[in-house]
Amino acid sequence: MCGIVGYIGKRDAAPILMEGLHRLEYRGYDSAGIAVARAGELRVAKCKGRVRDLEKILPDRFKGSPGIAHTRWATHGEPSDRNAHPHCDSANRIAVIHNGIIENATALRRRLAAEGIVFRSETDTEVLAHLIAKMPHDSLEGAVRAALQMVVGAYGLAVLDATRPNALVVARNGSPVVLGIGDREMFVASDPSALVRHTQSVVHLDDGEVAVLRADGFETSTLEGDPTAKTASTIAWTDDAFDKLDFDHFMRKEIAEQPDAARRTLSGRLEPRFQTAHLGGLALDARELLEVRRIKILGCGSACISATMGAHLIEQLARLPAHAEPASEFRYRNPVIEPDTLYIAVSQSGETFDTLAAVQEVKRKGGRVLGIVNVVGSTIARECGRGIYLHAGPEVSVVSTKTFTCTVMAFALLALHLGRIRDLSTAHGGRLLKALSELPVQIESILARDAEIAELARQLLACEHAYFIGRAAGYAVAMEGALKLKEVSYLHAEAYPASELKHGPLALITPQTPTIVVMPRDDLFTKNISTVEEIRARGGPILAITHAGDLPVSVEGRFDVPRSEPELDPILLNIPLQLLAYHVALQKGRDIDKPRNLAKSVTVE
């Protein structure tokens, strides 16, 4: 949510900043703006809408350096030109861009208004600009520190003073900030994707840190001013990874990348000698893992659904009680943290605020927590200190596809590892290793039948509601399918356990409400057939996601996926539902990579 990018160096800032904003569009936003310093003056342009709308109003000779730019996702104040960032002080000397929420903004605003400050926006961020301008400090760094001492809340921010253009000051508390190190130039962003074209060397700020950026380097310290030592890391992703190439949308590209992403997740982790998985990042030996009596998995959105699948896999293969729950609710119920419970935090970006807060709650109470994340060096990865990296590659589209698939595969590896430590036999271990190694090719075979899914999608265009059902792990597949469809096509979709249909949801079935049934040919297949019969008796259309073979009921459409082992079938059953959501959205003319009201990385509560 929101995006920050900044530059200081000898080049004109505007082209670099605008390119960075384009790179950050996937995070979700409703307005954009830019500010540069030139000859002691601040030049600002901002507007509601997309980055392309900002480009249209940008003057031809918008030159200057340093500069900062921002994409905003509205929290305080509606999306509008005046609420767009950057925000400035009364003298138009200080410019601030900010991700996060200032919780005591109302009290600070009243105090500043009583002192004669006239506000030009409804945002909490403008309060920061006025506070910084009022601080009696000789340096911009000192003024920012003094202002932040008065602030309560989350922030990732960058500050520019047009009269002191030799430095940018940035700070972090709960919202990601990454420094990019160039050749006698420095960059700052909320996400490494904005930096990869210019540098691969980055430094991640920690909460409570302030950094001063100059063209020839940077200094970091605590909010109180004590120096901190930072070590640069290298971004593994290349600039090409953030391009759509020949695809019309990032979502479609990332669906197509799943076979290779799956291979990377598996690479080096299949151990045929002992018919198990090798997961060195866990940093827990067999004795410690044997002491674990239950597992709780925390995530938000698709990460929470993948956690549900993961819990099912762990219970099946390791015979350990496992449970998934939304990280956003976890810490508010004052959870009991047990010493024999292993907690797992799941986040594609590694920056999801609610999940990070849950991790910190577990650690505060003495619990053990692992991370399953995609972004190396992200906050959750560093906070956990151990876990599994997905290595899925960057995911730009707001909706999660390849990282969801790779997360479930990571859970399969973890479940296999835990199972083999306990009582899963070598025969069963070997069976699963073989099935895991075959998944990338099986995913390719599904993707090759894209036209079949596009045809099925046509059957959903005229309806206003759709229902997804499944049993056991198939219910989690149904939840993810419904979430994808509603996220990207705006068609109302709900998922229910198939066994619950007769306990209420059956009242919703009509000839105008299609039901997508996830029905693998497992030991629950006949029960799924019975549920389909109940829907058919009420005239409900059926689309079946199943395996090859005769169906003893008539359906309006079906798609057969290749068979894997029963524990891994859900991974393959989910792929056609990703394509189904994509094609419904495409045929409805939606903005597929930027669904309304949503953001890729949710960094506020």
Side-chain angles (χ1 to χ4, degrees):
M1 302 170 83
C2 303
I4 282 175
V5 60
Y7 171 79
I8 185 166
K10 293 183 178 179
R11 290 190 279 171
D12 275 322
I16 298 167
L17 299 177
M18 294 304 296
E19 175 192 85
L21 291 186
H22 278 296
R23 294 285 185 177
L24 295 175
E25 284 191 281
Y26 75 94
R27 293 175 68 92
Y29 70 103
D30 47 57
S31 59
I34 182 173
V36 298
R38 182 173 176 85
E41 295 183 351
L42 202 60
R43 304 190 69 190
V44 179
K46 56 183 184 175
C47 66
K48 176 184 174 182
R50 298 298 189 192
V51 174
R52 61 176 176 266
D53 299 315
L54 176 62
E55 288 176 321
K56 291 175 184 176
I57 68 167
L58 209 60
D60 291 335
R61 296 184 61 79
F62 195 81
K63 295 185 178 295
S65 183
I68 54 177
H70 191 264
T71 52
R72 175 182 186 251
W73 191 84
T75 54
H76 290 66
E78 65 180 5
S80 65
D81 291 356
R82 68 192 182 96
N83 287 332
H85 296 212
H87 289 285
C88 304
D89 69 316
S90 302
N92 261 28
R93 175 174 64 89
I94 302 288
V96 178
I97 54 177
H98 164 230
N99 294 350
I101 295 176
I102 304 303
E103 295 175 9
N104 61 337
T106 301
L108 292 172
R109 178 184 280 261
R110 288 198 191 105
R111 172 178 167 179
L112 289 166
E115 295 175 6
I117 297 295
V118 177
F119 285 86
R120 293 173 281 192
S121 77
E122 303 166 86
T123 68
D124 54 340
T125 303
E126 188 183 354
V127 169
L128 288 172
H130 294 297
L131 273 180
I132 293 167
K134 286 180 65 64
M135 294 298 112
H137 285 265
D138 294 334
S139 69
L140 178 60
E141 177 188 3
V144 171
R145 286 185 193 283
L148 292 180
Q149 298 281 358
M150 303 170 64
V151 162
V152 176
Y155 52 79
L157 58 86
V159 185
L160 167 64
D161 184 343
T163 64
R164 294 178 279 197
N166 62 324
L168 291 176
V169 176
V170 302
R172 171 195 170 132
N173 186 51
S175 192
V177 175
V178 183
L179 313 183
I181 304 169
D183 183 11
R184 297 192 64 79
E185 57 186 0
M186 288 291 297
F187 308 84
V188 62
S190 49
D191 189 302
S193 62
L195 307 177
V196 291
R197 183 160 291 181
H198 305 286
T199 180
Q200 306 260 180
S201 182
V202 299
V203 167
H204 295 265
L205 288 192
D206 291 313
D207 281 351
E209 282 191 311
V210 176
V212 180
L213 278 60
R214 298 181 179 85
D216 59 355
F218 69 96
E219 299 168 358
T220 60
S221 55
T222 65
L223 189 58
E224 293 74 28
D226 298 322
T228 58
K230 309 297 291 185
T231 302
S233 58
T234 301
I235 303 174
W237 299 334
T238 64
D239 185 41
D240 290 343
F242 294 90
D243 289 330
K244 282 187 289 191
L245 304 178
D246 294 329
F247 293 91
D248 292 330
H249 303 95
F250 278 109
M251 181 181 178
R252 186 64 186 87
K253 172 178 178 271
E254 287 155 10
I255 291 173
E257 289 175 338
Q258 288 181 111
D260 286 339
R263 290 185 180 99
R264 287 193 297 272
T265 299
L266 296 175
S267 180
R269 290 169 169 165
L270 302 182
E271 179 51 80
R273 181 182 175 191
F274 298 109
Q275 308 295 353
T276 187
H278 174 70
L279 298 170
L282 298 185
L284 293 169
D285 61 28
R287 180 185 56 79
E288 291 174 293
L289 290 173
L290 281 171
E291 293 171 354
V292 172
R293 291 291 174 264
R294 63 187 56 81
I295 291 177
K296 292 189 177 181
I297 313 172
L298 309 169
C300 299
S302 284
C304 189
I305 298 173
S306 70
T308 302
M309 289 191 184
H312 190 79
L313 280 163
I314 290 167
E315 289 202 339
Q316 281 184 303
L317 301 180
R319 305 308 298 158
L320 269 172
H323 173 69
E325 69 174 285
S328 50
E329 295 294 329
F330 177 74
R331 67 192 172 113
Y332 291 114
R333 60 177 182 80
N334 191 22
V336 176
I337 304 301
E338 301 163 306
D340 58 358
T341 298
L342 179 63
Y343 297 84
I344 302 173
V346 186
S347 170
Q348 179 278 138
S349 67
E351 303 291 351
T352 310
F353 182 86
D354 290 314
T355 307
L356 175 61
V359 168
Q360 292 169 338
E361 177 74 359
V362 171
K363 291 181 66 179
R364 187 180 68 80
K365 293 183 173 181
R368 292 177 293 183
V369 60
L370 306 177
I372 296 182
V373 300
N374 191 41
V375 181
V376 176
S378 56
T379 305
I380 292 173
R382 288 182 286 119
E383 189 77 29
C384 293
R386 54 191 173 187
I388 304 172
Y389 280 122
L390 302 180
H391 303 301
E395 192 171 67
V396 175
S397 179
V398 167
V399 297
S400 174
T401 52
K402 66 178 181 179
T403 57
F404 179 87
T405 297
C406 290
T407 300
V408 181
M409 293 183 71
F411 273 119
L413 291 169
L414 177 61
L416 174 58
H417 180 69
L418 293 172
R420 289 289 293 121
I421 288 172
R422 284 172 165 77
D423 59 2
L424 189 72
S425 69
T426 55
H428 282 303
R431 172 179 65 86
L432 291 163
L433 278 188
K434 182 176 182 296
L436 282 165
S437 66
E438 291 171 350
L439 284 176
V441 172
Q442 291 177 310
I443 294 172
E444 285 174 339
S445 72
I446 295 172
L447 299 179
R449 296 159 58 202
D450 180 67
E452 294 179 45
I453 301 292
E455 195 59 36
L456 284 179
R458 297 184 191 281
Q459 299 188 45
L460 298 179
L461 294 182
C463 68
E464 295 182 1
H465 312 278
Y467 303 106
F468 289 69
I469 62 171
R471 290 175 185 267
Y475 171 49
V477 176
M479 286 195 292
E480 178 64 8
L483 179 61
K484 284 292 160 285
L485 188 63
K486 72 178 77 172
E487 278 182 320
V488 75
S489 76
Y490 315 148
L491 175 65
H492 173 245
E494 296 295 338
Y496 298 101
S499 55
E500 281 290 301
L501 207 62
K502 64 177 67 70
H503 297 288
L506 203 57
L508 300 172
I509 298 300
T510 72
Q512 290 74 45
T513 55
T515 301
I516 294 86
V517 184
V518 180
M519 46 190 307
R521 289 183 182 272
D522 56 14
D523 55 1
L524 297 173
F525 182 71
T526 56
K527 292 191 177 294
N528 277 323
I529 292 297
S530 298
T531 303
V532 171
E533 293 280 17
E534 293 173 355
I535 297 170
R536 298 295 297 167
R538 289 147 182 88
I542 298 289
L543 302 181
I545 308 299
T546 185
H547 293 133
D550 292 335
L551 283 181
V553 291
S554 62
V555 296
E556 278 64 35
R558 66 181 281 181
F559 186 91
D560 297 339
V561 303
R563 295 192 72 162
S564 180
E565 293 297 330
E567 298 92 340
L568 303 179
D569 277 333
I571 295 172
L572 298 175
L573 290 163
N574 180 62
I575 304 298
L577 296 183
Q578 296 175 348
L579 287 167
L580 184 70
Y582 174 80
H583 282 293
V584 173
L586 184 68
Q587 293 168 28
K588 284 180 170 286
R590 306 304 192 204
D591 190 351
I592 289 174
D593 287 330
K594 307 181 192 72
R596 68 189 182 201
N597 304 330
L598 300 180
K600 182 66 174 176
S601 181
V602 183
T603 56
V604 297
E605 258 189 299

